[in-house]
Amino acid sequence: MEVGTKSGTLADRIDAWPLAPECGSLRQDVEALISEARALPELAALAERLQTEPVASLIDGVMAGSPYLKGLIRRDLARLDRILVANPEPYFDGLVQDLRSALAATTEMAGAMRLVRVFKSEVALLTALADLGGVWPVLKVTSILTETADAALTGSIEFLFRSAAARGDWLPPEGAQTTFSETSGYFVLGMGKYGAFELNYSSDIDLIVFYDPERARLKEGVEAQTFFVRLTKDLVRLMDERTSDGYVFRTDLRLRPDAGATQVAMSTDAAMIYYESFGQNWERAALIKARTVAGDIEAGDQLLADLAPFIWRRYLDFATISDIHAMKRQIHAFRGLGGIGVAGHNVKLGRGGIREVEFFAQTQQLIAGGRQKDLRVRRTLDALQALMDRGWIKDSVCADLEGAYLYLRAIEHRIQMVADEQTHELPDAAGRLHQFARFAGYERSEDFSKELVAVLETVQRHYGELFENVPELTVSGANMVFAGEDDDPGTVEALTKMGYSQPCQLLATVRGWHHGRYPAVRTERARERLTEVQPLLIQALAETADPDSAFASFDRFLAELPSGVQLFSLLRANPGLLRLVSDIMGTAPRLARVLSKRRRLLDAVLDPRILTTLPSAQDIDALIASEFSTCGDQQETLDRARVIGSEQSFLIGVRVLSGAINASQAGGVYALVAERLIGALQAAVEDDLVRAHGRVPGGEAVVVAMGKLGGREMTASSDLDLIVVYDFDEVALQSDGARPLAPSQYYSRMTQRLITALSAPTAEGTLYDVDMRLRPSGQKGPVATQLSSFIEYQANEAWTWEHMALVRARVVSGPAALTAKVEEAIRATLLRRRDRAKIAQDVREMRQRIVAEKGTDVIWDLKQVRGGIVDQEFIVQYLQLVHAADYPEILDRNTVQALHKLSAAKILPDAAAVELIATTRLLHDLTQVLRLCLEGQFDPSKAPKGLKELAARAGDAPTFEALEVKLRQSLATSADLFDLLIV
């Protein structure tokens, strides 16, 4: 341990000093001070003193190495004189007493703020000179700095209570004329180095503020929380706000319980509930050093006593041990980022640094302190000594770490004295590092480097041996640390490299999980399982298309879960499932939203059969019947339809993301779900219409699907292109209900209600967007078309593009008899003999108009780019239209199947068929994946790695770069075939 202090003036006790630059310095700064002092008679003695050794060397070295201290010296020479001639220990005591008296005499906030700042600046210069001059050893310096904070806080709190009493909000205790805060129930806990009397030179102070409402002497009508929160904010202002006199201490209140969601002052009852229910293991470690530093000391000590069972557990569970290991990883020193070096090295957080010594002691205190009370000490060196006495560490280890700790703390002080900055990093430039080495008392930077590296290596060796058998909870060498009160710089850096753009927000959210903010993480067991899976989960989410979105989606999902134990356990045990859930969260926003809203789908995701089977029409019909059977009204029916649609779409998407099904299968199942829902909703709409208006004699209606639904090529975001065709007895004039309607009105109303049933948003969301523009006469025509009008229009009025669209038409809902009639009408239209040249000209003109309106060279606009989906469909539809009269077998609504049939009929050359089929499948596979993953257009320059890899897998390419080459070549070939075939 360090030796005690001596008596005598500071000037008389100087036995060390920083070294000024070795370039033949003429001590210009000191000479300037001497000249200034000589100009003032009252400082004549100072002028003489500055010419003597070792004072001249000390002041010369200080001013050369520290712009901050140079400013303090130059600002007030009388202060410098007082410090040099004072016995520093009693001088400091006098400063504390003077501050207390001055604060007791002031009534203005501005005056109080100035008093504490002047006090702090004088202590700062006194401490620096005593430290750099070898007058005070390191632990004396840390103790003085801590007592400075105690004095400033105590005096400021007393000032604030007196001010509150003057306003009438606070009732002083009877008989107490000078002390208002000692029995107030309001107290401040000093945490970390502050609590342990180990403050560093430019340290901030970590505080937690509590109040006991039972002790509060508030005026009637004054609410306790409001009063104490306001007082705490004023206290922070007194300490933290920068004025022309500087600041006192940077103040950090983030160690309080659940800092992101609580006020800056918390009641003791709320504190006990929090720590007993949601307290984290890193908070246990932080509370090891907690000390009541100001306010009602008795109340604070009572709270710490009450918290002892939380801090010092007799037995450790999994979460405790895991968090202790995670605390170790909070230093990006061991198994983390960077190595031992000198330039730019962080003497606190870097390898072999101060934090490793602290954690070496703290982790073992946590493990054994529940049973061995003599390990419950605050100071790091006291803890090392206690561990040695108990046989936990060897004498030599204790000695090594004690020496290293004192050395590193001294270097830390010098780093911070340079500019009064809360930094722990050595200069990284060679010239600045050499200058710092001189400030630290070394002739050469090489000498400093040699000694520092030896110390760091000693700490690292002992620390590494302590944790050499710790199991890894991280992946890919990333520094994954989530325990702790602060954002670990290494973790922030690692998360940034992993692709998270807001790592600090992520860490705050994770801390919220561990604070039990959601029902899923309220139990200790759930948080244990979370601790196990957390790093793997964060890594998996980082590998998705959009890590930030993936994490946000998972957070929303977690917020909706009633329990998290099963989920966390399964994710930890099943890496494949972890990856799947992460893909859902990150690459498929639609699926993530559905999963967040519909928790029952979690069971489906966990069911391996989901990935190995596809639903049949009978399966979906049975599901719809089951869901609709309990509906009490039409609105509930619409809600249940949306639940079925979103859940089934979700499960299809899961299969696509996992690679269990290809695009063709997905398109078919999406279409199957859509057509069964259309059928069920048509039946529901018709039943409702019958109740209101009766039936049209002989009346029937069918729904004809066009486009993607007709071709069974739907994606997750496809809309429905529909036509409604109806028919009725020729003699029927109106429906037979209480409120009869003409047939045209009847089926128009049915169609409008069906559109609403399919597309209107409800509390359960939307089902499908519906497009009726492909009906006869388009938007100008009626929403429902009578069969005779449909046939007449197709025979005499329809444009070429309408017959091309009809190639994909199929009836998906309605009675069998009318279905057969409509299907026959469609087929008869398509089998008509046509003028090939005229059709080719029409197709080319249509394509040119589309290019003029929507043309693009962007290959990832898979639909509109030349050679893309539009060209593919136009080729297939053109060939079917012009050849169906002679080869009716070529008709098929599905693009790929039609290409196969065209090839089999020798209408399409084999080579062209192979190219077009491959391109169609590639485009559909990519479309399926991208529609799942993105709301807008895919942009490779902005797309995360995970989405590019997913696209490459979908396109059966080894890399994304290879996929782009493949896509370009396929599109070019398809565009050439368009020009070659449509003639």
Side-chain angles (χ1 to χ4, degrees):
M1 300 292 289
E2 294 184 308
V3 296
T5 57
K6 300 176 290 185
S7 61
T9 69
L10 188 147
D12 292 338
R13 290 160 56 180
I14 295 171
D15 63 5
W17 49 86
L19 301 180
E22 67 274 47
C23 54
S25 169
L26 299 177
R27 294 185 173 175
Q28 294 176 347
D29 289 327
V30 176
E31 293 296 334
L33 290 182
I34 293 171
S35 297
E36 289 182 40
R38 283 175 174 165
L40 299 171
E42 64 271 22
L43 295 180
L46 174 62
E48 296 299 321
R49 196 170 292 109
L50 288 173
Q51 299 177 67
T52 63
E53 293 295 348
V55 173
S57 292
L58 173 62
I59 301 302
D60 187 35
V62 167
M63 297 183 74
S66 169
Y68 168 68
L69 293 176
K70 180 178 179 180
L72 288 181
I73 291 171
R74 295 293 302 270
R75 191 172 304 136
D76 189 346
L77 292 185
R79 177 173 59 190
L80 173 63
D81 190 36
R82 292 196 302 270
I83 290 173
L84 287 174
V85 300
N87 187 346
E89 293 81 16
Y91 183 72
F92 172 75
D93 294 339
L95 291 176
V96 171
Q97 184 58 49
D98 290 345
L99 174 67
R100 184 177 303 146
S101 300
L103 284 172
T106 189
T107 59
E108 299 294 331
M109 174 67 86
M113 292 179 72
R114 185 170 193 280
L115 287 172
V116 288
R117 281 154 180 75
V118 170
F119 164 72
K120 171 61 187 303
S121 65
E122 187 143 353
V123 174
L125 183 57
L126 167 68
T127 307
L129 295 179
D131 187 347
L132 295 169
V135 177
W136 283 344
V138 171
L139 293 189
K140 180 63 177 178
V141 173
T142 61
S143 179
I144 290 292
L145 292 168
T146 303
E147 291 177 46
T148 300
D150 285 356
L153 282 171
T154 299
S156 296
I157 290 173
E158 184 64 21
F159 165 78
L160 292 171
F161 271 99
R162 282 193 296 103
S163 299
R167 295 194 305 270
D169 292 339
W170 185 258
L171 306 177
E174 296 179 5
Q177 299 301 317
T178 58
T179 302
F180 290 78
S181 60
E182 288 183 356
T183 59
S184 64
Y186 176 88
F187 57 91
V188 178
L189 296 185
M191 309 296 287
K193 287 184 173 66
Y194 182 25
F197 279 87
E198 296 172 343
L199 279 183
N200 43 278
Y201 188 77
S202 295
S203 180
D204 54 9
I205 49 176
D206 294 303
L207 309 177
I208 307 180
V209 179
F210 296 110
Y211 61 90
D212 182 351
E214 297 299 321
R215 297 191 181 208
R217 301 179 59 84
L218 291 165
K219 182 182 72 173
E220 184 176 353
V222 177
E223 200 273 326
Q225 184 183 55
T226 302
F227 175 84
F228 288 119
V229 166
R230 176 185 173 187
L231 189 143
T232 302
K233 290 179 178 179
D234 286 342
L235 177 63
V236 170
R237 181 186 171 201
L238 271 164
M239 294 294 103
D240 207 306
E241 186 175 299
R242 288 184 178 270
T243 71
S244 59
D245 297 306
Y247 69 103
V248 189
F249 286 96
R250 289 175 292 266
T251 305
D252 193 335
L253 298 174
R254 290 176 296 173
L255 289 186
R256 69 185 185 274
D258 198 3
T262 57
Q263 294 282 7
V264 292
M266 175 182 283
S267 74
T268 50
D269 289 341
M272 289 302 299
I273 291 171
Y274 169 82
Y275 287 119
E276 290 173 351
S277 303
F278 308 115
Q280 308 297 297
N281 287 300
W282 68 263
E283 290 175 303
R284 294 177 55 219
L287 286 167
I288 286 177
K289 295 187 174 187
R291 175 176 63 90
T292 312
V293 298
D296 191 332
I297 303 297
E298 180 182 343
D301 289 348
Q302 181 60 55
L303 177 65
L304 289 176
D306 293 340
L307 288 175
F310 164 71
I311 304 170
W312 306 106
R313 295 183 183 176
R314 292 185 62 83
Y315 305 102
L316 299 183
D317 54 27
F318 170 83
T320 305
I321 296 172
S322 296
D323 280 356
I324 289 172
H325 294 165
M327 284 162 51
K328 183 269 288 189
R329 292 183 176 87
Q330 184 159 350
I331 316 162
H332 59 265
F334 184 68
R335 296 180 185 166
L337 304 174
I340 285 182
V342 177
H345 193 78
N346 190 311
V347 298
K348 176 182 178 181
L349 301 178
R351 291 194 177 211
I354 295 166
R355 184 62 65 82
E356 287 192 355
V357 181
E358 294 172 336
F359 275 11
F360 182 97
Q362 280 180 294
T363 51
Q364 294 179 91
Q365 285 180 280
L366 279 179
I367 291 170
R371 299 180 303 278
Q372 299 172 359
K373 293 186 177 181
D374 49 344
L375 295 180
R376 302 180 185 182
V377 294
R378 295 187 179 100
R379 295 177 188 256
T380 300
L381 297 190
D382 290 346
L384 290 173
Q385 185 68 40
L387 289 168
M388 184 190 73
D389 293 341
R390 273 286 186 171
W392 284 90
I393 61 176
K394 297 177 181 179
D395 295 8
S396 59
V397 174
C398 180
D400 284 348
L401 292 178
E402 179 181 306
Y405 180 79
L406 294 173
Y407 177 83
L408 292 171
R409 291 303 306 273
I411 296 300
E412 176 187 43
H413 286 170
R414 280 144 185 77
I415 292 173
Q416 295 178 349
M417 285 176 186
V418 172
D420 189 30
E421 294 176 341
Q422 175 68 341
T423 180
H424 309 273
E425 292 183 357
L426 290 162
D428 51 9
R432 291 176 55 239
L433 179 62
H434 176 72
Q435 182 179 358
F436 176 80
R438 300 279 297 178
F439 184 60
Y442 291 87
E443 291 281 353
R444 304 182 308 149
S445 58
E446 293 79 6
D447 298 332
F448 169 59
S449 298
K450 182 178 180 180
E451 187 167 356
L452 176 64
V453 168
V455 170
L456 296 174
E457 288 178 343
T458 297
V459 173
Q460 186 194 26
R461 183 178 73 254
H462 291 310
Y463 191 65
E465 289 171 355
L466 177 66
F467 288 103
E468 62 185 354
N469 295 318
V470 170
E472 284 291 352
L473 292 179
T474 59
V475 288
S476 304
N479 182 36
M480 302 286 289
V481 181
F482 305 96
E485 69 278 11
D486 260 338
D487 295 342
D488 170 52
T491 303
V492 172
E493 181 178 355
L495 290 171
T496 302
K497 289 182 177 179
M498 291 164 68
Y500 292 103
S501 67
Q502 297 176 309
C504 294
Q505 183 174 326
L506 182 151
L507 289 170
T509 300
V510 172
R511 282 195 287 270
W513 296 348
H514 284 284
H515 287 130
R517 198 164 289 167
Y518 301 145
V521 286
R522 290 276 162 79
T523 67
E524 189 170 354
R525 187 180 176 207
R527 294 194 294 273
E528 289 176 18
R529 298 296 178 264
L530 174 61
T531 298
E532 289 183 279
V533 76
Q534 192 168 265
L536 302 173
L537 173 66
I538 297 300
Q539 180 73 27
L541 293 172
E543 294 171 355
T544 62
D546 184 342
D548 293 312
S549 177
F551 180 81
S553 294
F554 186 83
D555 180 56
R556 288 192 296 269
F557 168 58
L558 194 62
E560 298 291 332
L561 280 183
S563 171
V565 173
Q566 179 194 25
L567 173 68
F568 300 144
S569 299
L570 287 169
L571 293 180
R572 181 68 176 90
N574 190 336
L577 179 62
L578 176 64
R579 178 68 205 207
L580 178 59
V581 171
S582 297
D583 279 342
I584 290 170
M585 297 298 160
T587 54
R590 289 182 180 86
L591 303 188
R593 285 197 296 271
V594 174
L595 186 58
S596 297
K597 294 178 180 177
R598 312 202 191 286
R599 297 190 294 270
R600 70 182 188 178
L601 284 175
L602 181 61
D603 293 333
V605 173
L606 302 177
D607 184 350
R609 293 172 298 178
I610 287 296
L611 301 181
T612 58
T613 60
L614 288 174
S616 65
Q618 291 76 19
D619 293 332
I620 298 173
D621 287 345
L623 175 63
I624 293 172
S626 174
E627 292 286 344
F628 281 16
S629 65
T630 59
C631 293
D633 56 26
Q634 187 79 352
Q635 184 60 50
E636 191 173 356
T637 298
L638 300 189
D639 285 338
R640 300 318 300 164
R642 279 143 183 77
V643 171
I644 294 168
S646 63
E647 291 185 355
Q648 289 302 310
S649 178
F650 171 85
L651 295 176
I652 297 166
V654 167
R655 295 177 177 99
V656 172
L657 281 183
S658 67
I661 61 175
N662 59 31
S664 176
Q665 292 171 302
V669 183
Y670 279 128
L672 180 63
V673 171
E675 64 190 59
R676 305 321 290 181
L677 283 168
I678 290 171
L681 289 172
Q682 181 184 353
V685 165
E686 289 179 341
D687 288 346
D688 194 50
L689 202 63
V690 167
R691 283 191 292 271
H693 304 286
R695 299 180 186 276
V696 174
E700 295 178 328
V702 297
V703 178
V704 181
M706 313 287 282
K708 295 295 185 184
L709 174 56
R712 295 185 174 89
E713 297 170 353
M714 287 185 68
T715 68
S717 61
S718 292
D719 56 11
L720 304 181
D721 293 300
L722 303 178
I723 298 174
V724 173
V725 179
Y726 65 91
D727 205 8
F728 55 92
D729 291 343
E730 291 183 3
V731 296
L733 298 178
Q734 61 184 20
S735 62
D736 57 13
R739 291 179 290 163
L741 295 172
S744 60
Q745 289 179 301
Y746 189 94
Y747 287 107
S748 290
R749 187 163 299 182
M750 187 216 79
T751 302
Q752 289 166 342
R753 291 187 180 186
L754 178 60
I755 294 171
T756 298
L758 289 168
S759 62
T762 75
E764 294 292 343
T766 57
L767 189 55
Y768 298 104
D769 289 330
V770 177
D771 190 338
M772 303 289 291
R773 289 176 296 176
L774 291 179
R775 68 185 186 270
S777 299
Q779 293 178 334
K780 296 180 180 179
V783 292
T785 305
Q786 189 175 356
L787 176 61
S788 58
S789 298
F790 178 79
I791 294 172
E792 173 68 18
Y793 181 85
Q794 297 299 337
N796 300 310
E797 298 182 46
W799 295 62
T800 297
W801 68 265
E802 291 179 287
H803 284 172
M804 292 172 66
L806 207 63
V807 167
R808 311 182 78 181
R810 65 186 178 94
V811 177
V812 295
S813 174
L818 183 57
T819 294
K821 293 178 183 179
V822 173
E823 292 280 10
E824 177 56 34
I826 293 171
R827 184 173 176 82
T829 302
L830 296 177
L831 291 178
R832 286 171 44 192
R833 194 169 299 280
R834 301 171 192 275
D835 181 341
R836 178 170 181 158
K838 173 67 166 59
I839 300 299
Q841 180 181 351
D842 288 347
V843 172
R844 286 180 173 274
E845 288 177 355
M846 278 189 289
R847 189 65 180 111
Q848 288 170 1
R849 285 197 296 271
I850 292 174
V851 169
E853 294 178 11
K854 303 178 182 179
T856 178
D857 294 327
V858 178
I859 64 171
W860 290 104
D861 187 343
L862 300 173
K863 181 176 181 179
Q864 299 296 345
V865 68
R866 283 306 316 273
I869 292 173
V870 170
D871 281 354
Q872 298 285 306
E873 293 176 350
F874 274 22
I875 290 171
V876 171
Q877 292 162 9
Y878 163 77
L879 292 175
Q880 289 182 98
L881 281 182
V882 298
H883 292 287
D886 297 318
Y887 302 93
E889 69 274 16
I890 66 174
L891 289 177
D892 199 291
R893 302 171 181 101
N894 181 269
T895 305
V896 171
Q897 294 305 315
L899 285 168
H900 279 296
K901 291 180 177 181
L902 289 166
S903 176
K906 303 302 180 182
I907 294 172
L908 191 61
D910 290 344
V914 169
E915 290 289 349
L916 290 172
I917 289 169
T919 299
T920 298
R921 284 178 170 160
L922 173 63
L923 294 174
H924 286 184
D925 285 341
L926 293 176
T927 299
Q928 285 288 2
V929 168
L930 295 180
R931 291 291 174 86
L932 273 178
C933 298
L934 296 175
E935 300 289 348
Q937 187 68 32
F938 175 66
D939 182 353
S941 66
K942 299 178 182 178
K945 179 181 178 183
L947 179 54
K948 292 183 179 180
E949 291 176 349
L950 186 61
R953 291 197 300 272
D956 194 25
T959 64
F960 181 77
E961 290 72 21
L963 174 65
E964 287 201 303
V965 172
K966 178 180 179 179
L967 179 59
R968 288 185 186 280
Q969 292 174 343
S970 298
L971 292 173
T973 301
S974 179
D976 290 342
L977 288 172
F978 180 95
D979 294 334
L980 181 66
L981 294 171
I982 300 181
V983 291

